[in-house]
Structures are given as structure tokens and as C-alpha cells.
mmCIF file of all heavy atoms in Angstrom:
data_model
loop_
_atom_site.group_PDB
_atom_site.id
_atom_site.type_symbol
_atom_site.label_atom_id
_atom_site.label_comp_id
_atom_site.label_asym_id
_atom_site.label_seq_id
_atom_site.Cartn_x
_atom_site.Cartn_y
_atom_site.Cartn_z
ATOM 1 N N MET A 1 7.966 105.079 94.747
ATOM 2 C CA MET A 1 6.993 104.064 94.384
ATOM 3 C C MET A 1 5.589 104.665 94.297
ATOM 4 O O MET A 1 4.841 104.413 93.375
ATOM 5 C CB MET A 1 6.996 102.926 95.410
ATOM 6 C CG MET A 1 8.268 102.111 95.408
ATOM 7 S SD MET A 1 8.414 101.217 93.855
ATOM 8 C CE MET A 1 7.019 100.152 94.028
ATOM 9 N N ARG A 2 5.243 105.497 95.300
ATOM 10 C CA ARG A 2 3.906 106.058 95.317
ATOM 11 C C ARG A 2 3.700 107.006 94.130
ATOM 12 O O ARG A 2 2.661 106.986 93.458
ATOM 13 C CB ARG A 2 3.657 106.790 96.634
ATOM 14 C CG ARG A 2 2.212 107.310 96.748
ATOM 15 C CD ARG A 2 1.972 107.866 98.148
ATOM 16 N NE ARG A 2 0.626 108.368 98.272
ATOM 17 C CZ ARG A 2 -0.438 107.633 98.502
ATOM 18 N NH1 ARG A 2 -0.294 106.328 98.585
ATOM 19 N NH2 ARG A 2 -1.631 108.162 98.608
ATOM 20 N N SER A 3 4.746 107.825 93.833
ATOM 21 C CA SER A 3 4.613 108.757 92.725
ATOM 22 C C SER A 3 4.451 108.013 91.409
ATOM 23 O O SER A 3 3.705 108.435 90.523
ATOM 24 C CB SER A 3 5.818 109.693 92.669
ATOM 25 O OG SER A 3 6.992 108.950 92.422
ATOM 26 N N ALA A 4 5.169 106.899 91.248
ATOM 27 C CA ALA A 4 5.047 106.113 90.025
ATOM 28 C C ALA A 4 3.636 105.563 89.883
ATOM 29 O O ALA A 4 3.055 105.527 88.798
ATOM 30 C CB ALA A 4 6.059 104.966 90.026
ATOM 31 N N ARG A 5 3.070 105.157 91.008
ATOM 32 C CA ARG A 5 1.725 104.591 90.955
ATOM 33 C C ARG A 5 0.700 105.665 90.609
ATOM 34 O O ARG A 5 -0.195 105.462 89.796
ATOM 35 C CB ARG A 5 1.380 103.942 92.286
ATOM 36 C CG ARG A 5 0.032 103.192 92.211
ATOM 37 C CD ARG A 5 -0.285 102.529 93.512
ATOM 38 N NE ARG A 5 -1.536 101.786 93.363
ATOM 39 C CZ ARG A 5 -2.206 101.304 94.385
ATOM 40 N NH1 ARG A 5 -1.735 101.454 95.603
ATOM 41 N NH2 ARG A 5 -3.329 100.648 94.191
ATOM 42 N N TRP A 6 0.849 106.816 91.223
ATOM 43 C CA TRP A 6 -0.074 107.905 90.900
ATOM 44 C C TRP A 6 0.063 108.324 89.451
ATOM 45 O O TRP A 6 -0.895 108.746 88.814
ATOM 46 C CB TRP A 6 0.154 109.091 91.835
ATOM 47 C CG TRP A 6 -0.550 108.907 93.147
ATOM 48 C CD1 TRP A 6 -0.013 108.525 94.316
ATOM 49 C CD2 TRP A 6 -1.960 109.058 93.382
ATOM 50 N NE1 TRP A 6 -0.967 108.443 95.292
ATOM 51 C CE2 TRP A 6 -2.181 108.756 94.752
ATOM 52 C CE3 TRP A 6 -3.039 109.419 92.581
ATOM 53 C CZ2 TRP A 6 -3.442 108.817 95.330
ATOM 54 C CZ3 TRP A 6 -4.292 109.474 93.165
ATOM 55 C CH2 TRP A 6 -4.488 109.177 94.521
ATOM 56 N N ARG A 7 1.279 108.234 88.905
ATOM 57 C CA ARG A 7 1.486 108.548 87.498
ATOM 58 C C ARG A 7 0.633 107.628 86.632
ATOM 59 O O ARG A 7 -0.014 108.065 85.671
ATOM 60 C CB ARG A 7 2.973 108.387 87.151
ATOM 61 C CG ARG A 7 3.296 108.443 85.656
ATOM 62 C CD ARG A 7 3.005 109.789 85.083
ATOM 63 N NE ARG A 7 3.516 109.889 83.730
ATOM 64 C CZ ARG A 7 3.139 110.803 82.865
ATOM 65 N NH1 ARG A 7 2.247 111.724 83.214
ATOM 66 N NH2 ARG A 7 3.649 110.825 81.641
ATOM 67 N N LEU A 8 0.612 106.326 86.928
ATOM 68 C CA LEU A 8 -0.176 105.411 86.130
ATOM 69 C C LEU A 8 -1.665 105.626 86.352
ATOM 70 O O LEU A 8 -2.469 105.480 85.442
ATOM 71 C CB LEU A 8 0.195 103.954 86.422
ATOM 72 C CG LEU A 8 -0.540 102.986 85.482
ATOM 73 C CD1 LEU A 8 0.012 103.129 84.072
ATOM 74 C CD2 LEU A 8 -0.458 101.584 85.957
ATOM 75 N N LEU A 9 -2.069 105.973 87.589
ATOM 76 C CA LEU A 9 -3.475 106.247 87.831
ATOM 77 C C LEU A 9 -3.965 107.390 86.957
ATOM 78 O O LEU A 9 -5.089 107.377 86.448
ATOM 79 C CB LEU A 9 -3.699 106.577 89.317
ATOM 80 C CG LEU A 9 -3.581 105.384 90.271
ATOM 81 C CD1 LEU A 9 -3.631 105.864 91.708
ATOM 82 C CD2 LEU A 9 -4.681 104.381 90.023
ATOM 83 N N TRP A 10 -3.097 108.389 86.740
ATOM 84 C CA TRP A 10 -3.453 109.469 85.808
ATOM 85 C C TRP A 10 -3.478 108.934 84.382
ATOM 86 O O TRP A 10 -4.389 109.221 83.615
ATOM 87 C CB TRP A 10 -2.428 110.590 85.925
ATOM 88 C CG TRP A 10 -2.535 111.579 84.800
ATOM 89 C CD1 TRP A 10 -3.435 112.588 84.676
ATOM 90 C CD2 TRP A 10 -1.715 111.613 83.632
ATOM 91 N NE1 TRP A 10 -3.228 113.255 83.500
ATOM 92 C CE2 TRP A 10 -2.181 112.687 82.838
ATOM 93 C CE3 TRP A 10 -0.632 110.865 83.178
ATOM 94 C CZ2 TRP A 10 -1.602 113.015 81.638
ATOM 95 C CZ3 TRP A 10 -0.065 111.187 81.981
ATOM 96 C CH2 TRP A 10 -0.541 112.248 81.228
ATOM 97 N N LEU A 11 -2.492 108.119 84.015
ATOM 98 C CA LEU A 11 -2.387 107.600 82.660
ATOM 99 C C LEU A 11 -3.565 106.708 82.314
ATOM 100 O O LEU A 11 -4.121 106.780 81.233
ATOM 101 C CB LEU A 11 -1.077 106.809 82.507
ATOM 102 C CG LEU A 11 -0.847 106.094 81.170
ATOM 103 C CD1 LEU A 11 -0.732 107.122 80.056
ATOM 104 C CD2 LEU A 11 0.388 105.228 81.243
ATOM 105 N N LEU A 12 -3.984 105.867 83.251
ATOM 106 C CA LEU A 12 -5.086 104.934 83.023
ATOM 107 C C LEU A 12 -6.296 105.343 83.844
ATOM 108 O O LEU A 12 -6.981 104.514 84.443
ATOM 109 C CB LEU A 12 -4.661 103.500 83.381
ATOM 110 C CG LEU A 12 -3.446 102.959 82.640
ATOM 111 C CD1 LEU A 12 -3.139 101.540 83.118
ATOM 112 C CD2 LEU A 12 -3.682 102.963 81.152
ATOM 113 N N GLY A 13 -6.579 106.639 83.888
ATOM 114 C CA GLY A 13 -7.623 107.168 84.747
ATOM 115 C C GLY A 13 -8.973 106.539 84.516
ATOM 116 O O GLY A 13 -9.766 106.369 85.443
ATOM 117 N N SER A 14 -9.288 106.184 83.267
ATOM 118 C CA SER A 14 -10.598 105.629 82.985
ATOM 119 C C SER A 14 -10.706 104.161 83.367
ATOM 120 O O SER A 14 -11.739 103.541 83.191
ATOM 121 C CB SER A 14 -10.910 105.785 81.496
ATOM 122 O OG SER A 14 -9.948 105.118 80.722
ATOM 123 N N ALA A 15 -9.619 103.580 83.881
ATOM 124 C CA ALA A 15 -9.661 102.164 84.244
ATOM 125 C C ALA A 15 -10.434 101.917 85.528
ATOM 126 O O ALA A 15 -10.723 100.798 85.879
ATOM 127 C CB ALA A 15 -8.235 101.629 84.399
ATOM 128 N N GLY A 16 -10.788 102.985 86.269
ATOM 129 C CA GLY A 16 -11.523 102.807 87.500
ATOM 130 C C GLY A 16 -10.668 102.340 88.648
ATOM 131 O O GLY A 16 -11.179 101.783 89.618
ATOM 132 N N CYS A 17 -9.334 102.500 88.574
ATOM 133 C CA CYS A 17 -8.441 102.070 89.640
ATOM 134 C C CYS A 17 -8.418 103.110 90.750
ATOM 135 O O CYS A 17 -8.471 104.319 90.490
ATOM 136 C CB CYS A 17 -7.026 101.867 89.100
ATOM 137 S SG CYS A 17 -6.963 100.702 87.728
ATOM 138 N N VAL A 18 -8.320 102.663 91.970
ATOM 139 C CA VAL A 18 -8.251 103.580 93.105
ATOM 140 C C VAL A 18 -7.114 103.174 94.004
ATOM 141 O O VAL A 18 -6.770 101.996 94.110
ATOM 142 C CB VAL A 18 -9.578 103.577 93.906
ATOM 143 C CG1 VAL A 18 -10.706 104.120 93.064
ATOM 144 C CG2 VAL A 18 -9.919 102.180 94.412
ATOM 145 N N PRO A 19 -6.460 104.137 94.710
ATOM 146 C CA PRO A 19 -5.363 103.793 95.607
ATOM 147 C C PRO A 19 -5.834 102.840 96.691
ATOM 148 O O PRO A 19 -6.955 102.935 97.201
ATOM 149 C CB PRO A 19 -4.947 105.154 96.186
ATOM 150 C CG PRO A 19 -5.456 106.159 95.189
ATOM 151 C CD PRO A 19 -6.714 105.576 94.637
ATOM 152 N N GLY A 20 -4.957 101.896 97.016
ATOM 153 C CA GLY A 20 -5.237 100.992 98.112
ATOM 154 C C GLY A 20 -6.048 99.778 97.732
ATOM 155 O O GLY A 20 -6.392 98.979 98.590
ATOM 156 N N MET A 21 -6.407 99.659 96.442
ATOM 157 C CA MET A 21 -7.201 98.500 96.049
ATOM 158 C C MET A 21 -6.381 97.241 96.271
ATOM 159 O O MET A 21 -5.171 97.227 96.102
ATOM 160 C CB MET A 21 -7.637 98.619 94.581
ATOM 161 C CG MET A 21 -6.522 98.570 93.578
ATOM 162 S SD MET A 21 -7.075 98.882 91.902
ATOM 163 C CE MET A 21 -8.125 97.474 91.626
ATOM 164 N N SER A 22 -7.057 96.181 96.648
ATOM 165 C CA SER A 22 -6.361 94.934 96.920
ATOM 166 C C SER A 22 -6.235 94.135 95.637
ATOM 167 O O SER A 22 -6.893 94.396 94.646
ATOM 168 C CB SER A 22 -7.133 94.122 97.969
ATOM 169 O OG SER A 22 -8.426 93.814 97.483
ATOM 170 N N GLY A 23 -5.417 93.098 95.688
ATOM 171 C CA GLY A 23 -5.210 92.258 94.525
ATOM 172 C C GLY A 23 -3.766 91.839 94.452
ATOM 173 O O GLY A 23 -2.905 92.380 95.150
ATOM 174 N N PRO A 24 -3.460 90.864 93.604
ATOM 175 C CA PRO A 24 -2.098 90.362 93.506
ATOM 176 C C PRO A 24 -1.162 91.384 92.903
ATOM 177 O O PRO A 24 -1.530 92.140 92.015
ATOM 178 C CB PRO A 24 -2.240 89.137 92.589
ATOM 179 C CG PRO A 24 -3.475 89.401 91.803
ATOM 180 C CD PRO A 24 -4.383 90.170 92.701
ATOM 181 N N THR A 25 0.052 91.424 93.392
ATOM 182 C CA THR A 25 1.077 92.318 92.871
ATOM 183 C C THR A 25 2.420 91.625 92.976
ATOM 184 O O THR A 25 2.611 90.756 93.832
ATOM 185 C CB THR A 25 1.101 93.640 93.667
ATOM 186 O OG1 THR A 25 2.026 94.530 93.061
ATOM 187 C CG2 THR A 25 1.509 93.421 95.106
ATOM 188 N N PRO A 26 3.360 91.925 92.115
ATOM 189 C CA PRO A 26 4.672 91.275 92.229
ATOM 190 C C PRO A 26 5.315 91.544 93.589
ATOM 191 O O PRO A 26 5.138 92.612 94.172
ATOM 192 C CB PRO A 26 5.475 91.929 91.098
ATOM 193 C CG PRO A 26 4.443 92.407 90.135
ATOM 194 C CD PRO A 26 3.273 92.803 90.975
ATOM 195 N N ARG A 27 6.061 90.570 94.107
ATOM 196 C CA ARG A 27 6.775 90.765 95.359
ATOM 197 C C ARG A 27 7.745 91.935 95.230
ATOM 198 O O ARG A 27 8.254 92.222 94.161
ATOM 199 C CB ARG A 27 7.570 89.492 95.722
ATOM 200 C CG ARG A 27 6.708 88.277 96.012
ATOM 201 C CD ARG A 27 7.594 87.097 96.363
ATOM 202 N NE ARG A 27 6.838 85.879 96.494
ATOM 203 C CZ ARG A 27 6.243 85.497 97.612
ATOM 204 N NH1 ARG A 27 6.316 86.255 98.696
ATOM 205 N NH2 ARG A 27 5.579 84.354 97.648
ATOM 206 N N LEU A 28 7.999 92.560 96.374
ATOM 207 C CA LEU A 28 8.856 93.739 96.371
ATOM 208 C C LEU A 28 10.223 93.430 95.791
ATOM 209 O O LEU A 28 10.765 94.194 94.995
ATOM 210 C CB LEU A 28 8.993 94.285 97.797
ATOM 211 C CG LEU A 28 9.773 95.585 97.945
ATOM 212 C CD1 LEU A 28 9.118 96.684 97.138
ATOM 213 C CD2 LEU A 28 9.874 95.983 99.413
ATOM 214 N N ASP A 29 10.807 92.259 96.172
ATOM 215 C CA ASP A 29 12.134 91.949 95.663
ATOM 216 C C ASP A 29 12.098 91.686 94.168
ATOM 217 O O ASP A 29 13.040 92.017 93.443
ATOM 218 C CB ASP A 29 12.728 90.740 96.406
ATOM 219 C CG ASP A 29 11.849 89.501 96.337
ATOM 220 O OD1 ASP A 29 10.661 89.632 95.992
ATOM 221 O OD2 ASP A 29 12.366 88.406 96.629
ATOM 222 N N GLU A 30 11.023 91.115 93.681
ATOM 223 C CA GLU A 30 10.887 90.909 92.250
ATOM 224 C C GLU A 30 10.799 92.230 91.507
ATOM 225 O O GLU A 30 11.385 92.402 90.448
ATOM 226 C CB GLU A 30 9.644 90.077 91.945
ATOM 227 C CG GLU A 30 9.779 88.590 92.214
ATOM 228 C CD GLU A 30 8.605 87.838 91.633
ATOM 229 O OE1 GLU A 30 7.456 88.229 91.936
ATOM 230 O OE2 GLU A 30 8.823 86.891 90.875
ATOM 231 N N ARG A 31 10.057 93.170 92.068
ATOM 232 C CA ARG A 31 9.915 94.480 91.437
ATOM 233 C C ARG A 31 11.273 95.181 91.380
ATOM 234 O O ARG A 31 11.639 95.753 90.352
ATOM 235 C CB ARG A 31 8.916 95.336 92.222
ATOM 236 C CG ARG A 31 7.498 94.820 92.192
ATOM 237 C CD ARG A 31 6.653 95.484 93.258
ATOM 238 N NE ARG A 31 6.559 96.912 93.046
ATOM 239 C CZ ARG A 31 5.564 97.511 92.387
ATOM 240 N NH1 ARG A 31 4.590 96.779 91.880
ATOM 241 N NH2 ARG A 31 5.545 98.819 92.244
ATOM 242 N N ALA A 32 12.014 95.135 92.471
ATOM 243 C CA ALA A 32 13.332 95.767 92.506
ATOM 244 C C ALA A 32 14.274 95.078 91.534
ATOM 245 O O ALA A 32 15.054 95.736 90.827
ATOM 246 C CB ALA A 32 13.894 95.730 93.925
ATOM 247 N N GLU A 33 14.204 93.755 91.484
ATOM 248 C CA GLU A 33 15.066 93.012 90.564
ATOM 249 C C GLU A 33 14.712 93.333 89.117
ATOM 250 O O GLU A 33 15.593 93.504 88.273
ATOM 251 C CB GLU A 33 14.925 91.513 90.807
ATOM 252 C CG GLU A 33 15.819 90.671 89.903
ATOM 253 C CD GLU A 33 15.599 89.182 90.086
ATOM 254 O OE1 GLU A 33 14.697 88.798 90.867
ATOM 255 O OE2 GLU A 33 16.319 88.405 89.441
ATOM 256 N N LEU A 34 13.406 93.448 88.830
ATOM 257 C CA LEU A 34 12.972 93.784 87.488
ATOM 258 C C LEU A 34 13.522 95.142 87.064
ATOM 259 O O LEU A 34 14.072 95.288 85.964
ATOM 260 C CB LEU A 34 11.439 93.800 87.425
ATOM 261 C CG LEU A 34 10.836 94.206 86.074
ATOM 262 C CD1 LEU A 34 11.114 93.141 85.013
ATOM 263 C CD2 LEU A 34 9.325 94.447 86.218
ATOM 264 N N ARG A 35 13.405 96.129 87.945
ATOM 265 C CA ARG A 35 13.922 97.460 87.618
ATOM 266 C C ARG A 35 15.433 97.418 87.402
ATOM 267 O O ARG A 35 15.965 98.038 86.476
ATOM 268 C CB ARG A 35 13.572 98.450 88.725
ATOM 269 C CG ARG A 35 12.095 98.779 88.813
ATOM 270 C CD ARG A 35 11.864 100.010 89.672
ATOM 271 N NE ARG A 35 12.374 99.820 91.031
ATOM 272 C CZ ARG A 35 11.672 99.277 92.021
ATOM 273 N NH1 ARG A 35 10.422 98.863 91.790
ATOM 274 N NH2 ARG A 35 12.172 99.155 93.228
ATOM 275 N N HIS A 36 16.115 96.681 88.263
ATOM 276 C CA HIS A 36 17.577 96.595 88.166
ATOM 277 C C HIS A 36 17.988 95.936 86.846
ATOM 278 O O HIS A 36 18.909 96.416 86.160
ATOM 279 C CB HIS A 36 18.135 95.802 89.348
ATOM 280 C CG HIS A 36 19.613 95.522 89.228
ATOM 281 N ND1 HIS A 36 20.575 96.499 89.373
ATOM 282 C CD2 HIS A 36 20.281 94.369 88.948
ATOM 283 C CE1 HIS A 36 21.764 95.967 89.206
ATOM 284 N NE2 HIS A 36 21.615 94.670 88.933
ATOM 285 N N VAL A 37 17.309 94.845 86.473
ATOM 286 C CA VAL A 37 17.664 94.121 85.247
ATOM 287 C C VAL A 37 17.429 95.010 84.028
ATOM 288 O O VAL A 37 18.278 95.098 83.133
ATOM 289 C CB VAL A 37 16.849 92.817 85.146
ATOM 290 C CG1 VAL A 37 16.980 92.215 83.741
ATOM 291 C CG2 VAL A 37 17.322 91.807 86.191
ATOM 292 N N ILE A 38 16.292 95.693 83.987
ATOM 293 C CA ILE A 38 16.002 96.532 82.818
ATOM 294 C C ILE A 38 16.964 97.713 82.761
ATOM 295 O O ILE A 38 17.497 98.043 81.691
ATOM 296 C CB ILE A 38 14.537 97.006 82.843
ATOM 297 C CG1 ILE A 38 13.587 95.812 82.756
ATOM 298 C CG2 ILE A 38 14.277 97.958 81.679
ATOM 299 C CD1 ILE A 38 12.121 96.167 82.851
ATOM 300 N N ASP A 39 17.207 98.345 83.904
ATOM 301 C CA ASP A 39 18.181 99.447 83.932
ATOM 302 C C ASP A 39 19.533 98.986 83.400
ATOM 303 O O ASP A 39 20.190 99.699 82.621
ATOM 304 C CB ASP A 39 18.348 99.979 85.357
ATOM 305 C CG ASP A 39 17.189 100.852 85.813
ATOM 306 O OD1 ASP A 39 16.422 101.318 84.952
ATOM 307 O OD2 ASP A 39 17.055 101.056 87.038
#
């Protein structure tokens, strides 16, 4: 999970995103279900 996030931070580097920033995010089970459904 962390490596995937760092990958996007590199991809969207100019977005001004930093690790640990707060804000809404999908629930963990939703994220896992999303990955499972797409896979």
C-alpha cells in the first residue's frame, strides 16, 4: 500500500501532496473489494 502511494506521489509530484496528509479516503474494505473486483 505504501509503495503504491509513493508511486502516485512521484506521478503527481506537482500536486503538492505530502505523506500523512489528512482527508477522506475510501474505507480499507472498500479499497480491497475494489481491487478484487477489478482484478
